[in-house]
Amino acid sequence: MRRKVTKVLKQSGVIPYREKDGKIEILLITTRDRQEWVIPKGGIVNGMTPPASAAKEAWEEAGVIGQVDDNELGTYKYRKRGKIYRVKMYLLPVERVSDYYPEADKRYRRWLDANQAIKLIKKDSLKRIFKGFLQAKVHSCASSL
């Protein structure tokens, strides 16, 4: 008997962040049904690099603009409607926030202290990426003092 081979769909996403009063804040958005807090992510657009595609998703889903760091933070997998997705994650230091963006009427967004954001994220593999980012940020802030 042959096993069905499941194709893994490739996506990219960002952790949108800013430094405010010496602390790291992360922007989370809700899923379209506003049930869960997530990060901006989506399918990698043909002809675009994963970081460029992630920047596009950040604009469409969260209304934020910045220069995505090309260094991949890590990857995580999830299942949705019987499909498997692998998401390459990148950092997005937010430079501009717009009130008008494509999915403004479909999602909520919220700036949170990094530790609060980690608590709201449900997927453990994504939490690990967040924690790695936070440790690196704390270390780089401490070393610049």
Side-chain angles (χ1 to χ4, degrees):
M1 190 166 21
R2 287 176 38 178
R3 275 186 51 206
K4 183 181 168 195
V5 176
T6 305
K7 184 179 176 189
V8 176
L9 302 166
K10 295 177 182 174
Q11 294 188 324
S12 60
V14 295
I15 296 177
Y17 77 97
R18 67 183 179 191
E19 290 187 41
K20 190 173 182 182
D21 302 325
K23 293 187 176 159
I24 303 288
E25 289 185 333
I26 294 173
L27 183 70
L28 292 183
I29 59 172
T30 58
T31 52
R32 284 191 187 145
D33 61 10
R34 298 182 176 163
Q35 297 292 311
E36 283 183 47
W37 289 97
V38 296
I39 47 89
K41 65 172 173 24
I44 299 172
V45 179
N46 281 342
M48 290 180 92
T49 64
S53 194
K56 175 182 163 299
E57 292 297 330
W59 163 249
E60 291 175 356
E61 295 180 356
V64 292
I65 297 171
Q67 185 62 47
V68 174
D69 184 331
D70 286 342
N71 296 310
E72 187 181 308
L73 276 179
T75 62
Y76 75 97
K77 285 184 183 177
Y78 72 97
R79 284 182 181 271
K80 184 176 174 182
R81 295 188 197 106
K83 295 180 181 169
I84 300 172
Y85 297 86
R86 178 183 290 129
V87 185
K88 291 182 176 196
M89 291 297 301
Y90 300 90
L91 285 177
L92 174 65
V94 174
E95 295 164 18
R96 285 198 9 236
V97 180
S98 177
D99 291 332
Y100 307 100
Y101 54 99
E103 296 188 16
D105 62 338
K106 295 181 179 81
R107 301 175 187 269
Y108 298 126
R109 64 182 178 186
R110 196 156 123 204
W111 285 104
L112 296 158
D113 165 84
N115 289 312
Q116 285 178 298
I118 290 168
K119 286 177 187 167
L120 288 177
I121 294 291
K122 289 202 162 96
K123 294 184 180 18
D124 287 338
S125 51
L126 184 54
K127 278 184 193 252
R128 277 193 295 278
I129 293 169
F130 266 80
K131 287 175 182 173
F133 155 67
L134 192 55
Q135 287 172 337
K137 267 301 185 193
V138 168
H139 181 73
S140 70
C141 288
S143 65
S144 64
L145 295 177

Coordinates of all heavy atoms in Angstrom, one line a residue, residues 19-68:
E19 N 11.5 49.3 19.9 CA 12.0 49.5 21.3 C 11.4 50.8 21.7 O 11.4 51.8 21.0 CB 13.6 49.6 21.2 CG 14.2 48.3 20.9 CD 15.7 48.4 21.1 OE1 16.3 49.0 22.0 OE2 16.4 47.7 20.2
K20 N 10.8 50.7 22.9 CA 10.1 51.9 23.5 C 10.5 52.0 25.0 O 10.3 51.0 25.7 CB 8.6 51.7 23.3 CG 7.8 53.0 23.7 CD 6.3 52.8 23.3 CE 5.6 54.1 23.6 NZ 4.2 53.9 23.4
D21 N 11.0 53.1 25.3 CA 11.5 53.3 26.7 C 12.4 52.2 27.2 O 12.3 51.7 28.3 CB 10.3 53.4 27.7 CG 9.3 54.5 27.3 OD1 9.8 55.6 26.8 OD2 8.1 54.4 27.5
G22 N 13.3 51.8 26.3 CA 14.3 50.8 26.6 C 13.8 49.4 26.7 O 14.5 48.5 27.0
K23 N 12.6 49.2 26.3 CA 12.0 47.8 26.3 C 11.5 47.4 24.9 O 11.2 48.2 24.1 CB 10.8 47.8 27.3 CG 11.1 48.0 28.7 CD 9.9 47.8 29.6 CE 10.4 47.9 31.1 NZ 9.4 48.2 32.0
I24 N 11.6 46.1 24.7 CA 11.1 45.5 23.4 C 9.6 45.3 23.5 O 9.1 44.7 24.4 CB 11.8 44.2 23.2 CG1 13.3 44.3 23.2 CG2 11.3 43.6 21.9 CD1 13.9 45.0 22.1
E25 N 8.9 45.8 22.5 CA 7.5 45.6 22.3 C 7.3 44.8 21.0 O 8.0 45.1 20.0 CB 6.7 46.9 22.2 CG 6.6 47.6 23.6 CD 5.7 48.8 23.5 OE1 5.6 49.4 22.4 OE2 5.2 49.2 24.6
I26 N 6.4 43.9 21.0 CA 6.1 43.1 19.8 C 4.6 43.3 19.4 O 3.7 43.4 20.2 CB 6.3 41.6 20.1 CG1 7.8 41.4 20.3 CG2 5.8 40.7 19.0 CD1 8.2 40.0 20.8
L27 N 4.4 43.5 18.1 CA 3.1 43.6 17.6 C 2.5 42.3 17.2 O 3.0 41.6 16.4 CB 3.1 44.6 16.3 CG 1.7 44.9 15.7 CD1 0.9 45.8 16.7 CD2 1.9 45.5 14.4
L28 N 1.4 41.9 17.8 CA 0.6 40.7 17.5 C -0.6 41.2 16.8 O -1.2 42.2 17.0 CB 0.3 39.9 18.7 CG 1.5 39.2 19.4 CD1 0.9 38.4 20.6 CD2 2.3 38.4 18.5
I29 N -1.1 40.3 15.9 CA -2.4 40.5 15.2 C -3.3 39.3 15.5 O -2.8 38.2 15.9 CB -2.2 40.7 13.7 CG1 -1.5 39.5 13.1 CG2 -1.4 42.0 13.4 CD1 -1.5 39.5 11.5
T30 N -4.6 39.4 15.3 CA -5.4 38.3 15.4 C -5.6 37.6 14.1 O -5.4 38.2 13.0 CB -6.8 38.7 15.9 OG1 -7.4 39.7 15.0 CG2 -6.8 39.3 17.3
T31 N -6.0 36.3 14.1 CA -6.4 35.6 12.9 C -7.6 36.3 12.4 O -8.3 37.2 13.1 CB -6.8 34.1 13.3 OG1 -7.7 34.2 14.4 CG2 -5.6 33.3 13.7
R32 N -8.0 36.0 11.2 CA -9.2 36.7 10.6 C -10.5 36.6 11.4 O -11.3 37.5 11.4 CB -9.4 36.3 9.1 CG -8.3 36.9 8.2 CD -8.7 36.7 6.8 NE -7.6 37.1 5.9 CZ -7.3 36.5 4.8 NH1 -8.0 35.5 4.4 NH2 -6.3 36.9 4.1
D33 N -10.6 35.4 12.0 CA -11.8 35.2 12.8 C -11.7 35.8 14.2 O -12.5 35.7 15.1 CB -12.2 33.7 12.9 CG -11.1 32.9 13.6 OD1 -10.1 33.4 14.1 OD2 -11.2 31.7 13.5
R34 N -10.5 36.4 14.5 CA -10.2 37.2 15.7 C -10.2 36.3 16.9 O -10.5 36.7 18.0 CB -11.1 38.4 15.9 CG -11.0 39.4 14.8 CD -11.8 40.6 14.9 NE -11.5 41.5 13.8 CZ -12.2 42.5 13.4 NH1 -13.3 42.8 14.1 NH2 -11.9 43.3 12.4
Q35 N -9.9 35.0 16.7 CA -9.9 34.0 17.8 C -8.5 33.8 18.5 O -8.5 33.5 19.6 CB -10.4 32.6 17.3 CG -11.8 32.6 16.8 CD -12.8 32.8 17.8 OE1 -12.8 32.2 18.9 NE2 -13.7 33.8 17.6
E36 N -7.4 34.0 17.7 CA -6.1 33.8 18.3 C -5.2 34.9 17.9 O -5.3 35.5 16.9 CB -5.5 32.5 17.7 CG -6.0 31.2 18.2 CD -5.3 30.0 17.6 OE1 -4.1 30.0 17.5 OE2 -6.0 29.1 17.2
W37 N -4.2 35.1 18.8 CA -3.1 36.1 18.5 C -2.0 35.4 17.7 O -1.5 34.4 18.2 CB -2.6 36.7 19.8 CG -3.6 37.6 20.4 CD1 -4.5 37.3 21.4 CD2 -3.9 39.0 20.0 NE1 -5.3 38.4 21.7 CE2 -5.0 39.4 20.8 CE3 -3.4 39.9 19.1 CZ2 -5.5 40.7 20.7 CZ3 -3.9 41.1 18.9 CH2 -5.0 41.6 19.8
V38 N -1.6 36.0 16.6 CA -0.6 35.4 15.8 C 0.4 36.5 15.3 O 0.2 37.7 15.6 CB -1.2 34.7 14.5 CG1 -2.1 33.5 15.0 CG2 -2.1 35.7 13.7
I39 N 1.3 36.1 14.4 CA 2.2 37.1 13.7 C 1.8 37.2 12.3 O 1.2 36.2 11.7 CB 3.7 36.6 13.9 CG1 3.9 35.1 13.6 CG2 4.2 36.9 15.3 CD1 4.2 34.8 12.2
P40 N 2.2 38.2 11.6 CA 1.9 38.3 10.1 C 2.8 37.3 9.4 O 4.0 37.1 9.6 CB 2.4 39.7 9.8 CG 2.5 40.5 11.0 CD 2.8 39.5 12.1
K41 N 2.1 36.5 8.6 CA 2.7 35.4 7.7 C 1.8 35.1 6.6 O 0.7 35.4 6.6 CB 3.0 34.2 8.6 CG 1.8 33.5 9.1 CD 2.1 32.2 9.7 CE 0.9 31.6 10.3 NZ -0.4 31.9 9.8
G42 N 2.4 34.5 5.6 CA 1.7 34.0 4.4 C 2.5 33.3 3.4 O 3.8 33.2 3.6
G43 N 1.9 32.8 2.4 CA 2.6 32.1 1.3 C 3.7 32.9 0.7 O 3.5 34.2 0.6
I44 N 4.8 32.3 0.3 CA 5.9 33.1 -0.3 C 5.5 33.3 -1.8 O 5.2 32.4 -2.5 CB 7.2 32.3 -0.2 CG1 7.6 32.1 1.2 CG2 8.3 33.0 -1.0 CD1 8.8 31.2 1.5
V45 N 5.4 34.6 -2.2 CA 5.0 35.0 -3.5 C 6.0 34.6 -4.5 O 7.2 34.8 -4.3 CB 4.7 36.5 -3.5 CG1 4.3 36.9 -4.9 CG2 3.7 36.9 -2.5
N46 N 5.6 34.0 -5.7 CA 6.5 33.7 -6.8 C 7.3 34.9 -7.2 O 6.7 36.0 -7.4 CB 5.7 33.2 -8.0 CG 5.3 31.7 -7.8 OD1 5.9 31.0 -7.0 ND2 4.4 31.3 -8.6
G47 N 8.6 34.7 -7.3 CA 9.5 35.8 -7.7 C 9.9 36.7 -6.6 O 10.7 37.6 -6.8
M48 N 9.5 36.5 -5.4 CA 9.9 37.2 -4.2 C 10.7 36.4 -3.3 O 10.5 35.2 -3.2 CB 8.7 37.8 -3.4 CG 7.9 38.9 -4.1 SD 6.5 39.4 -3.1 CE 7.3 40.8 -2.3
T49 N 11.7 37.0 -2.6 CA 12.4 36.3 -1.6 C 11.5 36.1 -0.3 O 10.5 36.8 -0.2 CB 13.7 37.1 -1.1 OG1 13.2 38.3 -0.5 CG2 14.6 37.4 -2.3
P50 N 11.8 35.1 0.5 CA 11.0 34.9 1.7 C 10.9 36.2 2.6 O 9.8 36.6 3.0 CB 11.7 33.8 2.4 CG 12.3 33.0 1.3 CD 12.8 34.0 0.3
P51 N 12.1 36.9 2.8 CA 11.9 38.2 3.6 C 11.1 39.2 2.9 O 10.3 39.9 3.6 CB 13.4 38.7 3.7 CG 14.2 37.5 3.5 CD 13.5 36.6 2.5
A52 N 11.2 39.4 1.6 CA 10.3 40.4 0.9 C 8.9 40.0 1.0 O 8.0 40.8 1.2 CB 10.8 40.5 -0.6
S53 N 8.6 38.7 0.8 CA 7.2 38.2 0.9 C 6.7 38.5 2.3 O 5.5 38.8 2.5 CB 7.2 36.8 0.5 OG 5.8 36.3 0.3
A54 N 7.5 38.2 3.3 CA 7.1 38.5 4.7 C 6.8 39.9 5.0 O 5.8 40.3 5.7 CB 8.2 38.0 5.7
A55 N 7.6 40.8 4.4 CA 7.3 42.3 4.5 C 6.0 42.6 3.9 O 5.2 43.5 4.5 CB 8.5 43.1 3.8
K56 N 5.7 42.0 2.8 CA 4.4 42.3 2.1 C 3.2 41.8 3.0 O 2.2 42.5 3.2 CB 4.3 41.5 0.8 CG 3.0 41.5 0.0 CD 3.2 40.7 -1.2 CE 1.9 40.3 -1.8 NZ 1.0 39.5 -1.0
E57 N 3.4 40.7 3.7 CA 2.3 40.2 4.6 C 2.2 41.1 5.8 O 1.1 41.4 6.3 CB 2.7 38.8 5.1 CG 2.6 37.7 4.0 CD 1.2 37.5 3.4 OE1 0.2 37.7 4.2 OE2 1.1 37.2 2.3
A58 N 3.3 41.6 6.3 CA 3.3 42.5 7.5 C 2.5 43.8 7.1 O 1.7 44.3 7.9 CB 4.7 42.9 7.9
W59 N 2.7 44.3 5.9 CA 1.9 45.4 5.5 C 0.4 45.1 5.3 O -0.5 45.8 5.9 CB 2.4 46.0 4.1 CG 1.4 46.9 3.5 CD1 0.7 46.7 2.3 CD2 0.9 48.2 4.0 NE1 -0.2 47.7 2.1 CE2 0.0 48.6 3.1 CE3 1.2 48.9 5.1 CZ2 -0.7 49.8 3.3 CZ3 0.6 50.1 5.3 CH2 -0.4 50.6 4.4
E60 N 0.1 44.0 4.6 CA -1.3 43.6 4.4 C -2.1 43.3 5.6 O -3.2 43.7 5.8 CB -1.4 42.5 3.4 CG -0.9 42.8 2.0 CD -0.9 41.6 1.1 OE1 -1.1 40.5 1.5 OE2 -0.6 41.8 -0.1
E61 N -1.4 42.5 6.5 CA -2.1 42.0 7.7 C -2.0 42.9 8.9 O -2.9 42.9 9.8 CB -1.6 40.6 8.1 CG -1.9 39.6 7.0 CD -1.4 38.2 7.3 OE1 -0.7 38.0 8.4 OE2 -1.7 37.3 6.5
A62 N -0.9 43.7 9.1 CA -0.7 44.5 10.3 C -0.5 46.0 10.0 O -0.5 46.7 11.0 CB 0.5 43.9 11.0
G63 N -0.4 46.4 8.8 CA -0.2 47.8 8.5 C 1.1 48.4 8.9 O 1.2 49.5 9.2
V64 N 2.2 47.5 9.0 CA 3.5 48.0 9.4 C 4.5 47.9 8.3 O 4.5 47.0 7.5 CB 4.0 47.2 10.7 CG1 3.1 47.6 11.9 CG2 4.0 45.7 10.5
I65 N 5.4 48.8 8.3 CA 6.5 48.9 7.3 C 7.8 49.0 8.0 O 8.0 49.7 9.1 CB 6.3 50.2 6.4 CG1 5.0 50.0 5.7 CG2 7.5 50.3 5.5 CD1 4.6 51.3 4.9
G66 N 8.8 48.4 7.5 CA 10.2 48.4 8.0 C 11.1 47.6 7.1 O 10.6 46.9 6.2
Q67 N 12.3 47.5 7.4 CA 13.3 46.7 6.6 C 13.5 45.4 7.3 O 14.0 45.3 8.4 CB 14.7 47.5 6.6 CG 15.7 46.8 5.7 CD 15.2 46.7 4.2 OE1 14.8 47.6 3.6 NE2 15.4 45.5 3.7
V68 N 12.9 44.3 6.7 CA 13.0 43.0 7.2 C 14.5 42.5 7.2 O 15.2 42.7 6.2 CB 12.2 42.0 6.4 CG1 12.4 40.5 6.9 CG2 10.7 42.3 6.5

